[in-house]
Protein backbone atom coordinates (compact mmCIF):
# COMPACT_ATOMS: atom_id res chain seq x y z
CA UNK A 1 0.00 0.00 0.00
CA UNK A 2 2.87 2.37 0.81
CA UNK A 3 4.38 1.79 -2.64
CA UNK A 4 1.03 2.69 -4.23
CA UNK A 5 0.93 5.95 -2.26
CA UNK A 6 4.45 6.79 -3.43
CA UNK A 7 3.55 6.11 -7.07
CA UNK A 8 0.50 8.36 -6.77
CA UNK A 9 2.68 11.06 -5.28
CA UNK A 10 5.13 10.76 -8.20
CA UNK A 11 2.35 11.07 -10.76
CA UNK A 12 0.79 14.02 -8.96
CA UNK A 13 4.15 15.71 -8.32
CA UNK A 14 3.18 15.86 -4.65
CA UNK A 15 5.01 18.19 -2.30
CA UNK A 16 4.00 16.27 0.81
CA UNK A 17 3.87 12.53 1.51
CA UNK A 18 2.30 10.94 4.60
CA UNK A 19 3.33 7.36 5.39
CA UNK A 20 2.67 7.48 9.13
CA UNK A 21 1.65 4.28 10.87
CA UNK A 22 2.18 1.95 7.89
CA UNK A 23 4.32 -0.58 9.81
CA UNK A 24 7.14 0.09 7.38
CA UNK A 25 10.47 -1.64 7.96
CA UNK A 26 12.01 0.16 5.01
CA UNK A 27 11.36 3.37 3.13
CA UNK A 28 10.00 2.67 -0.38
CA UNK A 29 12.86 3.12 -2.84
CA UNK A 30 10.78 5.25 -5.18
CA UNK A 31 10.68 8.03 -2.57
CA UNK A 32 14.00 9.21 -3.95
CA UNK A 33 12.20 10.19 -7.17
CA UNK A 34 10.08 12.78 -5.36
CA UNK A 35 12.64 15.55 -5.75
CA UNK A 36 9.94 18.22 -5.43
CA UNK A 37 8.91 16.89 -2.00
CA UNK A 38 9.04 19.42 0.86
CA UNK A 39 7.50 17.32 3.67
CA UNK A 40 7.90 13.61 4.39
CA UNK A 41 6.04 11.97 7.30
CA UNK A 42 7.23 8.53 8.43
CA UNK A 43 6.15 8.45 12.09
CA UNK A 44 5.01 5.32 13.93
CA UNK A 45 6.71 2.70 11.79
CA UNK A 46 9.55 0.19 12.34
CA UNK A 47 12.30 1.96 10.40
CA UNK A 48 15.93 1.59 11.48
CA UNK A 49 17.69 3.18 8.51
CA UNK A 50 17.17 5.42 5.51
CA UNK A 51 17.93 4.44 1.90
CA UNK A 52 20.69 6.27 0.06
CA UNK A 53 18.09 7.55 -2.42
CA UNK A 54 16.71 9.90 0.24
CA UNK A 55 19.67 12.20 -0.37
CA UNK A 56 18.02 13.21 -3.65
CA UNK A 57 15.26 15.06 -1.76
CA UNK A 58 16.98 18.41 -2.18
CA UNK A 59 13.82 20.45 -1.47
CA UNK A 60 12.80 18.64 1.70
CA UNK A 61 12.21 21.04 4.60
CA UNK A 62 10.23 18.84 7.04
CA UNK A 63 11.06 15.25 7.99
CA UNK A 64 9.19 13.26 10.64
CA UNK A 65 10.87 10.04 11.80
CA UNK A 66 9.42 9.84 15.29
CA UNK A 67 8.54 6.55 16.99
CA UNK A 68 10.68 4.23 14.90
CA UNK A 69 13.71 2.06 15.69
CA UNK A 70 16.70 4.18 14.70
CA UNK A 71 19.82 3.58 16.80
CA UNK A 72 21.53 6.75 15.58
CA UNK A 73 20.73 9.85 13.61
CA UNK A 74 21.17 8.69 9.97
CA UNK A 75 24.24 10.12 8.25
CA UNK A 76 22.20 10.45 5.05
CA UNK A 77 20.58 13.51 6.59
CA UNK A 78 23.71 15.59 6.09
CA UNK A 79 22.86 15.76 2.39
CA UNK A 80 19.44 17.33 3.01
CA UNK A 81 20.67 20.91 2.94
CA UNK A 82 17.17 22.43 2.81
CA UNK A 83 15.90 20.62 5.92
CA UNK A 84 14.42 22.96 8.53
CA UNK A 85 12.44 20.64 10.81
CA UNK A 86 13.57 17.19 11.98
CA UNK A 87 11.63 14.99 14.40
CA UNK A 88 13.26 11.80 15.67
CA UNK A 89 11.62 11.43 19.07
CA UNK A 90 10.80 8.00 20.47
CA UNK A 91 13.59 5.99 18.85
CA UNK A 92 16.58 4.11 20.30
CA UNK A 93 19.18 6.69 19.39
CA UNK A 94 22.37 6.61 21.45
CA UNK A 95 24.56 8.73 19.20
CA UNK A 96 24.45 11.83 17.04
CA UNK A 97 27.22 11.42 14.42
CA UNK A 98 29.20 14.64 14.30
CA UNK A 99 29.22 14.59 10.47
CA UNK A 100 25.42 15.00 10.39
CA UNK A 101 25.79 18.58 11.60
CA UNK A 102 27.92 19.45 8.59
CA UNK A 103 25.03 19.58 6.12
CA UNK A 104 22.09 20.71 8.27
CA UNK A 105 22.97 24.39 8.20
CA UNK A 106 19.35 25.46 7.63
CA UNK A 107 17.87 23.34 10.42
CA UNK A 108 15.59 25.38 12.71
CA UNK A 109 13.91 22.74 14.87
CA UNK A 110 15.37 19.46 16.16
CA UNK A 111 13.34 17.08 18.34
CA UNK A 112 15.22 14.10 19.81
CA UNK A 113 13.05 13.51 22.86
CA UNK A 114 12.72 10.05 24.40
CA UNK A 115 15.92 8.44 23.19
CA UNK A 116 19.11 7.13 24.84
CA UNK A 117 21.51 9.90 23.85
CA UNK A 118 24.46 10.30 26.22
CA UNK A 119 26.41 13.03 24.47
CA UNK A 120 25.85 16.02 22.20
CA UNK A 121 28.74 16.46 19.75
CA UNK A 122 30.62 19.75 19.79
CA UNK A 123 29.81 20.06 16.10
CA UNK A 124 26.33 21.16 17.19
CA UNK A 125 27.78 24.67 16.85
CA UNK A 126 27.45 24.31 13.06
CA UNK A 127 23.64 24.43 13.31
CA UNK A 128 23.63 28.21 13.34
CA UNK A 129 19.99 28.53 12.22
CA UNK A 130 18.68 26.33 15.04
CA UNK A 131 15.84 27.97 16.98
CA UNK A 132 14.46 25.03 18.96
CA UNK A 133 16.37 22.07 20.40
CA UNK A 134 14.55 19.41 22.39
CA UNK A 135 16.36 16.54 24.12
CA UNK A 136 13.97 15.66 26.94
CA UNK A 137 14.12 12.14 28.38
CA UNK A 138 17.63 11.11 27.36
CA UNK A 139 20.82 10.17 29.23
CA UNK A 140 22.80 13.40 28.95
CA UNK A 141 25.37 14.07 31.68
CA UNK A 142 26.73 17.35 30.36
CA UNK A 143 26.17 19.96 27.67
CA UNK A 144 29.04 21.03 25.41
CA UNK A 145 29.99 24.69 25.61
CA UNK A 146 29.80 24.80 21.80
CA UNK A 147 26.03 24.74 22.09
CA UNK A 148 26.21 28.22 23.60
CA UNK A 149 27.24 29.80 20.29
CA UNK A 150 23.85 29.10 18.68
CA UNK A 151 22.78 32.73 18.50
CA UNK A 152 19.31 32.00 17.08
CA UNK A 153 18.31 29.45 19.72
CA UNK A 154 15.02 30.45 21.36
CA UNK A 155 13.97 27.21 23.08
CA UNK A 156 16.17 24.66 24.85
CA UNK A 157 14.51 21.59 26.37
CA UNK A 158 16.74 19.29 28.43
CA UNK A 159 14.31 17.86 30.98
CA UNK A 160 14.66 14.38 32.47
CA UNK A 161 18.36 13.82 31.88
CA UNK A 162 21.33 13.40 34.24
CA UNK A 163 22.82 16.88 34.02
CA UNK A 164 24.82 18.09 37.01
CA UNK A 165 25.66 21.54 35.65
CA UNK A 166 24.90 23.94 32.81
CA UNK A 167 27.77 25.38 30.77
CA UNK A 168 29.15 28.70 32.05
CA UNK A 169 28.94 30.40 28.61
CA UNK A 170 25.15 29.97 28.56
CA UNK A 171 24.93 33.78 28.72
CA UNK A 172 25.89 33.78 25.02
CA UNK A 173 22.42 32.49 24.11
CA UNK A 174 21.11 36.05 23.85
CA UNK A 175 17.83 35.10 22.14
CA UNK A 176 16.89 32.26 24.48
CA UNK A 177 13.29 32.67 25.65
CA UNK A 178 12.54 29.25 27.13
CA UNK A 179 14.86 26.99 29.15
CA UNK A 180 13.55 23.75 30.60
CA UNK A 181 15.98 21.60 32.61
CA UNK A 182 13.54 19.93 35.01
CA UNK A 183 14.26 16.50 36.54
CA UNK A 184 18.06 16.56 36.37
CA UNK A 185 20.79 16.52 39.02
CA UNK A 186 21.62 20.23 38.95
CA UNK A 187 23.05 21.54 42.22
CA UNK A 188 23.16 25.15 41.03
CA UNK A 189 22.77 27.52 38.11
CA UNK A 190 25.56 29.57 36.49
CA UNK A 191 25.65 33.29 37.23
CA UNK A 192 25.71 33.90 33.47
CA UNK A 193 22.08 32.80 33.35
CA UNK A 194 21.16 36.20 34.79
CA UNK A 195 22.41 37.90 31.62
CA UNK A 196 19.73 36.25 29.46
CA UNK A 197 17.59 39.35 29.04
CA UNK A 198 15.05 37.66 26.75
CA UNK A 199 14.38 34.62 28.95
CA UNK A 200 10.66 34.32 29.72
CA UNK A 201 10.25 30.72 30.92
CA UNK A 202 12.63 28.90 33.29
CA UNK A 203 11.84 25.39 34.49
CA UNK A 204 14.32 23.94 37.01
CA UNK A 205 11.86 21.81 38.97
CA UNK A 206 12.99 18.52 40.48
CA UNK A 207 16.72 19.19 40.84
CA UNK A 208 19.12 19.60 43.78
CA UNK A 209 19.43 23.38 43.61
CA UNK A 210 20.08 24.98 46.99
CA UNK A 211 20.37 28.62 45.94
CA UNK A 212 19.58 30.74 42.90
CA UNK A 213 22.15 33.06 41.28
CA UNK A 214 22.28 36.41 43.09
CA UNK A 215 20.85 38.37 40.13
CA UNK A 216 18.09 35.99 39.08
CA UNK A 217 15.47 38.60 39.98
CA UNK A 218 16.82 40.81 37.17
CA UNK A 219 15.62 38.39 34.48
CA UNK A 220 12.20 39.44 33.08
CA UNK A 221 10.71 35.99 33.68
CA UNK A 222 7.04 35.34 33.07
CA UNK A 223 7.07 31.73 34.31
CA UNK A 224 9.36 30.14 36.90
CA UNK A 225 9.07 26.50 37.94
CA UNK A 226 11.29 25.54 40.87
CA UNK A 227 9.34 23.05 42.97
CA UNK A 228 11.06 19.99 44.46
CA UNK A 229 14.41 21.65 45.10
CA UNK A 230 16.08 21.80 48.55
CA UNK A 231 16.19 25.61 48.36
CA UNK A 232 12.57 25.57 49.53
CA UNK A 233 13.31 23.81 52.82
CA UNK A 234 12.65 26.31 55.61
CA UNK A 235 15.42 25.19 57.97
CA UNK A 236 16.65 27.52 60.75
CA UNK A 237 20.09 29.07 60.29
CA UNK A 238 22.12 29.81 63.42
CA UNK A 239 23.67 33.27 63.74
CA UNK A 240 27.17 34.00 64.99
CA UNK A 241 25.80 36.60 67.44
CA UNK A 242 22.26 36.27 68.69
CA UNK A 243 21.94 39.34 70.90
CA UNK A 244 23.42 42.08 68.71
CA UNK A 245 24.42 42.62 65.09
CA UNK A 246 27.70 44.39 65.86
CA UNK A 247 29.55 44.41 69.17
CA UNK A 248 31.32 47.50 70.50
CA UNK A 249 34.61 45.71 69.86
CA UNK A 250 33.66 45.15 66.23
CA UNK A 251 32.67 48.80 65.74
CA UNK A 252 35.87 50.10 67.32
CA UNK A 253 38.02 47.62 65.39
CA UNK A 254 36.47 48.63 62.07
CA UNK A 255 37.12 52.27 62.78
CA UNK A 256 40.78 51.59 63.57
CA UNK A 257 41.20 49.23 60.61
CA UNK A 258 39.71 51.83 58.30
CA UNK A 259 42.30 54.42 59.39
CA UNK A 260 45.11 51.88 59.10
CA UNK A 261 43.91 50.89 55.65
CA UNK A 262 44.02 54.56 54.63
CA UNK A 263 47.66 54.81 55.77
CA UNK A 264 47.44 56.59 59.15
CA UNK A 265 51.06 56.56 60.31
CA UNK A 266 50.23 58.01 63.76
CA UNK A 267 47.73 55.28 64.56
CA UNK A 268 50.11 52.67 63.17
CA UNK A 269 52.82 53.78 65.64
CA UNK A 270 50.36 53.75 68.53
CA UNK A 271 49.27 50.19 67.77
CA UNK A 272 52.88 48.99 68.04
CA UNK A 273 52.91 49.79 71.77
CA UNK A 274 49.75 47.76 72.41
CA UNK A 275 50.53 44.08 71.66
CA UNK A 276 47.04 42.85 72.59
CA UNK A 277 45.40 45.26 70.13
CA UNK A 278 48.00 44.38 67.50
CA UNK A 279 47.24 40.68 67.95
CA UNK A 280 43.49 41.25 67.75
CA UNK A 281 43.68 43.43 64.65
CA UNK A 282 46.14 41.04 63.06
CA UNK A 283 43.34 38.45 62.87
CA UNK A 284 41.24 40.70 60.66
CA UNK A 285 39.27 39.45 57.67
CA UNK A 286 38.42 41.12 54.37
CA UNK A 287 35.14 41.16 52.49
CA UNK A 288 35.58 39.18 49.26
CA UNK A 289 33.25 41.57 47.46
CA UNK A 290 34.35 45.07 48.51
CA UNK A 291 37.67 44.40 50.27
CA UNK A 292 36.72 46.19 53.51
CA UNK A 293 38.47 44.95 56.68
CA UNK A 294 36.48 43.57 59.61
CA UNK A 295 36.90 41.24 62.61
CA UNK A 296 34.08 38.74 63.00
CA UNK A 297 31.11 39.46 60.77
CA UNK A 298 30.22 41.44 57.67
CA UNK A 299 26.69 41.84 56.37
CA UNK A 300 26.90 45.10 54.43
CA UNK A 301 27.46 43.32 51.10
CA UNK A 302 24.69 40.78 51.69
CA UNK A 303 21.39 41.61 49.98
CA UNK A 304 18.25 39.59 50.71
CA UNK A 305 15.67 39.43 47.93
CA UNK A 306 12.02 38.46 48.22
CA UNK A 307 11.72 36.39 45.04
CA UNK A 308 7.94 36.56 44.91
CA UNK A 309 7.88 40.37 45.15
CA UNK A 310 10.80 41.19 42.87
CA UNK A 311 10.36 38.66 40.05
CA UNK A 312 6.55 38.82 40.11
CA UNK A 313 6.10 36.23 37.33
CA UNK A 314 2.80 35.33 35.74
CA UNK A 315 3.32 31.74 36.89
CA UNK A 316 5.61 30.73 39.75
CA UNK A 317 5.50 27.20 41.08
CA UNK A 318 7.27 26.07 44.20
CA UNK A 319 7.85 29.52 45.69
CA UNK A 320 5.07 29.49 48.23
Amino acid sequence: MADVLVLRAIRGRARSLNLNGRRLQRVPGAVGSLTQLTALHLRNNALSQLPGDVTALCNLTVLHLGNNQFAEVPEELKHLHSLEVLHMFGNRITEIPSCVCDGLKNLKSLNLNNNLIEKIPGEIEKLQCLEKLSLNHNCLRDIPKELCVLQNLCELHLGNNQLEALPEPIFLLRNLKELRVYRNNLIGLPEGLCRLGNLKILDVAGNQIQAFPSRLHEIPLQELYCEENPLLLKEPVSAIQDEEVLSLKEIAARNILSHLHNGSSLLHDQIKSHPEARRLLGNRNACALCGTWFLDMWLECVRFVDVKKVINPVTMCGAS
Side-chain angles (χ1 to χ4, degrees):
M1 182 62 183
D3 291 323
V4 173
L5 291 175
V6 173
L7 290 175
R8 288 178 181 173
I10 293 174
R11 295 193 189 103
R13 300 182 61 81
R15 299 179 63 84
S16 178
L17 178 61
N18 189 334
L19 295 176
N20 292 336
R22 298 287 176 174
R23 301 180 182 178
L24 300 177
Q25 295 184 354
R26 64 172 183 83
V27 178
V31 166
S33 302
L34 293 167
T35 55
Q36 73 283 354
L37 209 62
T38 60
L40 177 57
H41 302 268
L42 292 164
R43 292 196 309 271
N44 302 325
N45 284 291
L47 302 173
S48 59
Q49 60 183 2
L50 293 178
D53 293 344
V54 77
T55 61
L57 304 180
C58 57
N59 292 305
L60 197 67
T61 59
V62 178
L63 178 59
H64 286 265
L65 296 171
N67 294 332
N68 278 282
Q69 298 180 15
F70 289 94
E72 68 175 15
V73 178
E75 292 190 14
E76 289 82 3
L77 297 181
K78 67 181 180 182
H79 300 288
L80 302 180
H81 303 305
S82 297
L83 199 62
E84 297 180 0
V85 177
L86 174 61
H87 290 287
M88 291 198 72
F89 55 82
N91 279 277
R92 302 172 181 176
I93 298 171
T94 59
E95 182 181 3
I96 305 174
S98 57
C99 64
V100 173
C101 300
D102 293 337
L104 297 179
K105 296 181 179 180
N106 288 305
L107 195 66
K108 295 181 179 179
S109 178
L110 177 58
N111 186 331
L112 292 166
N113 293 341
N114 295 289
N115 279 288
L116 303 169
I117 300 170
E118 298 181 358
K119 182 180 179 181
I120 300 174
E123 286 76 8
I124 191 82
E125 65 181 355
K126 296 179 181 179
L127 305 182
Q128 285 297 311
C129 289
L130 201 61
E131 298 176 358
K132 179 178 180 180
L133 176 60
S134 191
L135 283 154
N136 295 328
H137 295 273
N138 276 282
C139 305
L140 297 172
R141 294 184 179 275
D142 55 56
I143 301 299
K145 62 181 184 299
E146 288 85 356
L147 186 144
C148 298
V149 303
L150 300 179
Q151 295 296 306
N152 290 303
L153 197 64
C154 296
E155 295 185 28
L156 181 57
H157 302 259
L158 299 168
N160 269 293
N161 279 280
Q162 300 170 27
L163 302 175
E164 296 182 358
L166 296 177
E168 287 294 332
I170 195 169
F171 65 88
L172 295 174
L173 298 175
R174 303 293 187 186
N175 291 307
L176 195 64
K177 297 179 180 178
E178 184 172 345
L179 175 60
R180 297 187 183 271
V181 287
Y182 58 87
R183 304 293 178 191
N184 277 280
N185 299 317
L186 299 175
I187 59 175
L189 298 172
E191 282 290 336
L193 187 73
C194 304
R195 296 167 62 181
L196 297 178
N198 290 309
L199 193 63
K200 303 300 181 186
I201 300 174
L202 176 61
D203 189 347
V204 294
N207 281 280
Q208 299 299 316
I209 299 172
Q210 298 182 24
F212 281 137
S214 59
R215 295 168 50 210
L216 182 71
H217 62 284
E218 297 179 8
I219 307 176
L221 290 175
Q222 294 178 355
E223 299 179 27
L224 171 62
Y225 302 92
C226 57
E227 65 271 23
E228 297 183 50
N229 277 287
L231 62 90
L232 302 175
L233 297 178
K234 296 178 175 61
E235 298 179 351
V237 178
S238 60
I240 298 175
Q241 294 178 318
D242 295 327
E243 297 180 357
E244 54 186 28
V245 175
L246 292 179
S247 65
L248 180 60
K249 180 177 70 173
E250 179 74 27
I251 295 173
R254 289 192 187 186
N255 187 37
I256 295 171
L257 287 169
S258 176
H259 286 290
L260 290 174
H261 190 58
N262 292 329
S264 174
S265 57
L266 179 61
L267 191 57
H268 188 271
D269 293 338
Q270 291 293 325
I271 292 294
K272 289 182 179 179
S273 59
H274 295 80
E276 181 63 23
R278 187 170 66 249
R279 182 193 63 77
L280 182 66
L281 297 173
N283 293 325
R284 68 181 182 272
N285 298 289
C287 175
L289 184 61
C290 69
T292 303
W293 287 349
F294 66 98
L295 281 187
D296 298 320
M297 62 193 316
W298 183 255
L299 292 176
E300 279 80 348
C301 291
V302 177
R303 183 157 54 107
F304 298 93
V305 175
D306 187 329
V307 177
K308 287 188 288 187
K309 290 183 179 179
V310 177
I311 295 181
N312 192 27
V314 174
T315 301
M316 185 172 180
C317 297
S320 58

